[in-house]
């Protein structure tokens, strides 16, 4: 059986003829307090429609409409507005606008935007802009930061295979930047970490397509760095930090 979920609740008081009691002014939390949520849900629907494959795929029109919906959410003083705007701008390739939107989202305090979400989308944008070191730190923060809020809410993102794949891809590109014989040791060090990232993704995902993607990435690395083939070093599920990677 499907679960029954209450999405919203409201009430209204009607005047009854012959009853002298005064009916108070009618207000609705759905129409007032949660207006931002309606706009946000509408924007998310448009955003998803704007990237739907199929015979009649979504496109620029839906993304532009999503942008207007999320701007309204931001005007209603919710971090969800600029945070989701960053998703729209990233999809459209408007990377500078995405950076600005993420910066605005991070400034909200009541309530504050989830720092792990800010970090993840900052990583996506930095990756596209070629800021690989920054992207690596963003993805590591999203995956491994140990904070009181995460512990209290029992959030553990160390088994997020999507974010691990993004981190592995960025590390792979970062290793390529270490060119020449004098940078070989650093190049191989980063490659070793990248292999461990992709092997972890391969282990934690149950989806066949993602499992195959992780395997292909490992094979690409082993072709470029053949001496890592058969290296059985694994991701440490308990610490999950890869502290041996550090920016130079």
């Amino acid at each position: 059986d499907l679960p029954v979920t209450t999405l919203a609740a409201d009430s209204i008081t009607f005047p009854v003829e012959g009853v002298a009691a005064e009916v108070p002014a009618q207000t609705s939390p759905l129409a007032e307090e949660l207006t931002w949520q309606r706009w946000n849900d509408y924007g998310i629907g448009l955003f998803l429609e704007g990237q739907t494959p199929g015979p009649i795929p979504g496109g620029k029109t839906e993304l532009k409409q999503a942008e207007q919906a999320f701007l309204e959410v931001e005007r209603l003083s919710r971090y969800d507005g600029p945070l989701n705007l960053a998703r729209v701008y990233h999809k459209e390739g408007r990377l500078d606008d995405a950076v600005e939107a993420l910066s605005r989202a991070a400034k909200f305090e009541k309530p504050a935007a989830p720092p792990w979400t800010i970090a993840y989308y900052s990583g996506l944008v930095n990756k596209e802009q070629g800021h690989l070191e920054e992207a690596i730190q963003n993805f590591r923060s999203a995956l491994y930061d140990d904070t009181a809020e995460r512990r209290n809410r029992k959030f553990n993102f160390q088994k997020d295979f999507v974010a691990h794949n993004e981190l592995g891809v960025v590390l792979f590109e970062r290793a390529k930047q270490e060119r020449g014989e004098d940078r070989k040791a650093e190049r191989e060090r980063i490659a070793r970490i990248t292999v461990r990232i992709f092997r972890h993704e391969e282990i934690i995902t149950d989806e066949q397509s993602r499992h195959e993607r992780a395997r292909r990435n490992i094979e690409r690395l082993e072709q470029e760095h053949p001496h890592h083939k058969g290296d059985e070093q694994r991701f440490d599920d308990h610490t999950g930090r890869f502290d041996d990677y550090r920016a130079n």
Side-chain angles (χ1 to χ4, degrees):
D1 294 336
L2 293 176
V4 176
T5 301
T6 300
L7 297 179
D10 203 355
S11 64
I12 186 170
T13 302
F14 293 98
V16 177
E17 186 176 358
V19 177
E22 185 176 341
V23 176
Q26 303 296 289
T27 61
S28 170
L30 298 182
E32 298 171 6
E33 298 175 16
L34 300 180
T35 301
W36 72 268
Q37 195 171 35
R38 302 291 174 260
W39 279 106
N40 196 57
D41 290 344
Y42 179 52
I44 290 172
L46 288 166
F47 175 73
L48 295 175
E49 185 69 22
Q51 52 188 330
T52 302
I56 308 178
K60 292 183 178 180
T61 300
E62 288 82 1
L63 292 177
K64 291 300 180 185
Q65 291 173 327
E67 178 184 9
Q68 295 306 310
F70 293 139
L71 284 170
E72 187 64 31
V73 176
E74 184 171 8
R75 281 192 286 270
L76 293 168
S77 301
R78 287 286 309 194
Y79 71 79
D80 314 66
L83 184 56
N84 283 321
L85 278 170
R87 297 172 65 193
V88 172
Y89 296 149
H90 175 258
K91 181 68 177 179
E92 292 182 321
R94 297 163 58 183
L95 301 180
D96 290 340
D97 288 336
V99 170
E100 292 181 7
L102 286 167
S103 177
R104 297 198 307 273
K107 293 176 181 177
F108 278 78
E109 295 181 350
K110 295 181 180 179
W116 48 87
T117 308
I118 295 287
Y120 176 74
Y121 285 108
S122 295
L124 292 180
V125 174
N126 276 319
K127 171 188 170 186
E128 294 296 325
Q129 291 182 318
H131 303 153
L132 301 187
E133 287 288 353
E134 291 84 350
I136 290 167
Q137 299 307 322
N138 291 147
F139 290 133
R140 290 184 71 229
S141 173
L143 285 164
Y144 314 133
D145 277 358
D146 182 20
T147 65
E149 182 180 11
R150 291 196 192 192
R151 291 193 298 272
N152 292 338
R153 299 177 69 177
K154 295 180 171 57
F155 283 173
N156 180 357
F157 301 114
Q158 293 178 22
K159 293 188 178 181
D160 186 323
F161 47 79
V162 175
H164 273 100
N165 181 71
E166 294 290 353
L167 176 58
V169 169
V170 175
L171 281 166
F172 190 28
E173 294 303 316
R174 178 66 184 84
K176 293 179 182 179
Q177 293 181 338
E178 300 294 337
R179 301 183 180 91
E181 191 64 26
D182 60 329
R183 301 299 298 170
K184 181 178 179 180
E186 178 65 7
R187 181 169 64 250
E188 299 300 337
R189 185 179 71 82
I190 299 174
R192 276 195 303 274
I193 299 169
T194 310
V195 169
R196 290 164 60 191
I197 293 283
F198 286 136
R199 281 197 173 134
H200 179 61
E201 181 193 1
E202 184 183 23
I203 291 168
I204 63 177
T205 180
D206 293 328
E207 295 184 27
Q208 184 64 26
S209 61
R210 296 184 184 279
H211 183 89
E212 292 173 354
R213 180 185 64 186
R215 171 48 49 187
R216 287 195 300 270
N217 285 329
I218 292 170
E219 290 172 352
R220 288 174 59 200
L221 275 161
E222 289 176 341
Q223 289 174 2
E224 296 196 18
H225 306 275
H227 63 284
H228 294 315
K229 194 169 185 177
D231 180 2
E232 294 302 323
Q233 262 191 312
R234 300 294 190 188
F235 175 92
D236 185 336
D237 282 311
H238 298 290
T239 59
R241 290 182 175 278
F242 295 112
D243 285 328
D244 51 347
Y245 182 83
R246 47 186 190 282
N248 293 321

